[in-house]
Amino acid sequence: MREVLQVRYGEIFLKGQNRPMFLRMLVERVRGAVQPLGGEVWLSDGRVYISGASDTDEALRRVRKVFGVHSVCRSWEVDKSDFLGLCQKAAELMRGYTGSFKVNARRSDKRFAMDSPTINREVGGYVLEHVPGLTVDVHHPGRVLSVEIRDRAYLYTEPLAAVGGMPVGCNGRATLLLSGGIDSPVAGWMIAKRGVTVSAVHFHSFPYTSERAKEKVLDLARILSESLCGLRVHVVPFTDIQMQIHEKCHADYTTVIMRRYMMRIANAVAEEERALGLVTGESLGQVASQTIEAMRLTDAVAQLPVYRPLIGFDKQEIIDIAQRIGTFETSSLPYEDCCTVFTPRHPATHPRLDIVLQGESRLDGESLITKALQDREIFTL
Ligand code: ATP
Ligand code: MG
């Protein structure tokens, strides 16, 4: 008899022929998450199991954050040929609880002598007789005691919900434009939740933005890297580009032109990273650069599709997720972002392409981009 964590997955079931690949990826991700705690991870009978971790609570905490995991429960693996032993363990699990319960048996090993209704009756009867303060309620039980008869038998009471989604690595690659704000870390987390491997680009305008601002972004990347299974961040110096835009372009257009340069550079980084999409934390109408018109003009310079997981979210909804995933506090530290340092008083909310192109024609675009890419720093977290 031993305690194991039983991990269930959700949507992978929908994947038909690709299912073995998704499962392999999930096992690998679960293994990666609990590896520092030791123990064994294996796939059996449509579930992933973990046993022998040095700290079961910590293993549970980590596994609940692995994308692709739908729920986890602490289970007892018992010898199914020892039915009395199984009943005794069931009683032990229910001891200390008072109120209504029911036994929910599932028998996937059809060679097992008892069918599910019989297991329910036998285990339920034993528990009722040996644990004081219990009643049976099959319709609205206060607690469900599950018995699964598989290769081995498993007993558990409370499955804990996990993050859901799909395992990172099963849905291609994308490059996130990561600022130090609240939104883009959430956007990166959300795209990774759908199984995408994420890399990131951050634009830094030293000395207008401080070393601390850069550190803050790397801290955010560190927080994200646990769920994202590692994160490479390209920190690109952006001061020269911003200065030229500031000097040579119409003040109201500096924001949209700056964002087009961000897109061009992010696109180049994405291609190096073999990514097939760009991701931003934009949400429609949140600020001047996030109108339909402005986003059309920024997308026009990207070769790759731009994904905006937060496009329909209100700020509060984004904050709620940021708090849940642990980025909110760091995002709220007060260091300036390069976007805010150079914000014009009246950014154009309905920018015109001809004015944008006119402004851009005054810049040494190609050489600025090449220089920025050359001078970037790369951090692997
Ligand atoms: P965030 O909270 O993510 O900073 P925001 O509401 O401040 O977003 P903007 O500053 O307009 O909005 O930025 C919109 C998006 O552009 C960000 O979500 C991010 O994807 C990208 N972005 C902004 N600044 C940077 C930067 N310095 N480096 C990389 N990407 C950036
Ligand atoms: Mg920002």
Side-chain angles (χ1 to χ4, degrees):
M1 191 179 319
R2 59 176 174 173
E3 191 179 30
V4 297
L5 295 180
Q6 201 186 47
V7 175
R8 292 119 185 271
Y9 40 86
E11 275 186 58
I12 289 176
F13 276 121
L14 306 176
K15 299 303 161 205
Q17 289 186 342
N18 288 332
R19 205 173 128 188
M21 185 273 279
F22 282 81
L23 283 178
R24 243 192 344 269
M25 203 65 91
L26 181 68
V27 171
E28 211 173 291
R29 297 300 169 229
V30 170
R31 204 167 270 148
V34 299
Q35 190 209 10
L37 306 169
E40 209 191 329
V41 177
W42 71 97
L43 181 70
S44 164
D45 245 1
R47 300 259 202 272
V48 179
Y49 294 91
I50 304 162
S51 84
S54 60
D55 178 342
T56 310
D57 287 331
E58 176 61 12
L60 193 64
R61 189 195 71 79
R62 287 169 178 241
V63 171
R64 287 174 79 186
K65 287 166 92 173
V66 173
F67 294 134
V69 175
H70 178 260
S71 63
V72 191
C73 48
R74 279 171 173 271
S75 314
W76 284 91
E77 185 186 271
V78 297
D79 179 2
K80 66 184 172 184
S81 64
D82 174 13
F83 195 69
L84 178 61
L86 186 154
C87 290
Q88 285 167 340
K89 191 69 200 176
E92 191 187 315
L93 287 184
M94 294 302 290
R95 203 153 283 137
Y97 168 76
T98 52
S100 63
F101 85 110
K102 79 166 183 181
V103 177
N104 185 14
R106 285 178 51 183
R107 182 185 60 139
S108 55
D109 171 10
K110 300 296 178 204
R111 289 165 312 175
F112 191 73
M114 289 178 223
D115 62 6
S116 301
T118 312
I119 301 169
N120 287 339
R121 214 170 38 244
E122 292 293 324
V123 178
Y126 185 94
V127 170
L128 209 52
E129 199 178 313
H130 290 82
V131 182
L134 295 180
T135 56
V136 172
D137 181 342
V138 292
H139 299 297
H140 304 288
R143 182 170 286 190
V144 177
L145 169 64
S146 299
V147 181
E148 291 186 4
I149 309 290
R150 301 169 163 268
D151 284 346
R152 307 212 172 135
Y154 296 92
L155 295 171
Y156 56 87
T157 51
E158 287 160 299
L160 298 167
V163 65
M166 297 189 209
V168 167
C170 70
N171 244 341
R173 296 167 173 276
T175 296
L176 168 71
L177 285 83
L178 178 64
S179 73
I182 294 167
D183 306 331
S184 48
V186 173
W189 184 88
M190 285 182 64
I191 203 93
K193 182 167 180 259
R194 301 307 300 166
V196 177
T197 303
V198 176
S199 53
V201 187
H202 174 67
F203 298 97
H204 184 51
S205 300
F206 191 77
Y208 297 96
T209 58
S210 63
E211 256 327 281
R212 296 290 295 276
K214 184 172 102 186
E215 282 306 319
K216 169 183 166 181
V217 171
L218 294 175
D219 284 344
L220 284 169
R222 247 172 240 119
I223 297 169
L224 286 174
S225 69
E226 186 186 0
S227 294
L228 272 55
C229 302
L231 180 60
R232 194 164 31 252
V233 187
H234 300 247
V235 177
V236 177
F238 205 52
T239 319
D240 292 348
I241 295 178
Q242 282 190 295
M243 297 301 281
Q244 270 211 22
I245 294 173
H246 199 62
E247 281 161 23
K248 298 185 178 170
C249 301
H250 191 291
D252 300 355
Y253 274 71
T254 53
T255 301
V256 63
I257 293 174
M258 180 191 77
R259 299 198 59 76
R260 281 162 60 96
Y261 274 91
M262 284 187 174
M263 282 294 180
R264 291 178 172 110
I265 293 172
N267 200 102
V269 171
E271 277 170 5
E272 269 179 33
E273 288 278 352
R274 292 181 294 120
L276 298 181
L278 298 172
V279 183
T280 78
E282 288 161 306
S283 135
L284 193 54
Q286 195 188 78
V287 291
S289 61
Q290 297 175 23
T291 61
I292 289 255
E293 291 93 333
M295 286 195 277
R296 170 171 168 258
L297 292 185
T298 46
D299 280 15
V301 297
Q303 313 290 311
L304 295 170
V306 182
Y307 295 95
R308 298 182 167 92
L310 307 180
I311 197 69
F313 280 37
D314 294 347
K315 192 74 188 185
Q316 189 56 50
E317 292 171 310
I318 301 170
I319 290 174
D320 291 346
I321 301 176
Q323 280 170 328
R324 230 176 50 229
I325 67 174
T327 53
F328 181 72
E329 231 172 86
T330 305
S331 288
S332 305
L333 296 172
Y335 312 114
E336 297 272 19
D337 184 61
C338 64
C339 291
T340 41
V341 174
F342 290 90
T343 306
R345 200 109 52 98
H346 304 290
T349 48
H350 308 284
R352 277 173 35 193
L353 181 61
D354 56 333
I355 302 180
V356 167
L357 293 176
Q358 217 173 58
E360 288 182 350
S361 70
R362 297 187 203 114
L363 308 175
D364 313 319
E366 280 307 311
S367 60
L368 283 170
I369 291 174
T370 309
K371 178 94 172 47
L373 284 167
Q374 253 166 19
D375 293 346
R376 85 193 117 145
E377 294 174 277
I378 301 177
F379 299 85
T380 303
L381 303 170

